[in-house]
Amino acid sequence: MDAGTLGVMIPIIALMIPIVAIWTKHQQKIAEMQLGATAEQTAEKAAQYASHIQRLEDRVQVLERIVTDRGYDIATQIEALRDQRRVDDGPGVPLGLEMKERV
């Protein structure tokens, strides 16, 4: 390298150092902002999941209380509903069909 080229390169390099420093700070701020936004979104989703899980746990507790505390017999209740439906339906003929006379 000759002296003229070196004389031009030194000021260019000297001016590039602050530009690179400014660009690096800017990139760091952008990364921090993205990290903050991601952390906020994650916290919101965690709160939603916690709320959903809490509702599910409450429902399970209610079901457990129904089944255990009151001594319900689920099979008996289902059969009672089936029996009630049979009585309410009448003779068991589908709607719109006439019963044939037996000979």
Side-chain angles (χ1 to χ4, degrees):
M1 243 189 228
D2 61 344
T5 307
L6 190 58
V8 172
M9 295 291 279
I10 290 176
I12 291 175
I13 291 173
L15 291 174
M16 287 180 66
I17 290 173
I19 292 171
V20 170
I22 292 170
W23 180 79
T24 304
K25 272 187 176 180
H26 179 68
Q27 292 298 320
Q28 184 179 6
K29 285 182 182 179
I30 289 174
E32 288 173 359
M33 289 172 56
Q34 288 176 343
L35 182 65
T38 303
E40 185 177 323
Q41 289 174 350
T42 303
E44 288 175 4
K45 285 186 180 184
Q48 289 174 351
Y49 289 140
S51 171
H52 184 67
I53 289 172
Q54 184 60 44
R55 284 184 287 166
L56 289 175
E57 287 177 351
D58 292 344
R59 291 177 72 180
V60 168
Q61 285 177 354
V62 168
L63 291 174
E64 287 175 345
R65 198 170 342 134
I66 288 171
V67 171
T68 59
D69 292 348
R70 297 183 186 163
Y72 277 85
D73 184 14
I74 301 298
T76 305
Q77 288 181 345
I78 292 172
E79 290 302 319
L81 290 173
R82 285 183 183 154
D83 292 340
Q84 181 182 2
R85 193 175 69 195
R86 286 184 194 134
V87 169
D88 292 343
D89 287 344
V93 177
L95 295 176
L97 298 177
E98 299 293 329
M99 289 186 61
K100 295 182 181 178
E101 291 184 28
R102 293 187 181 178
V103 181

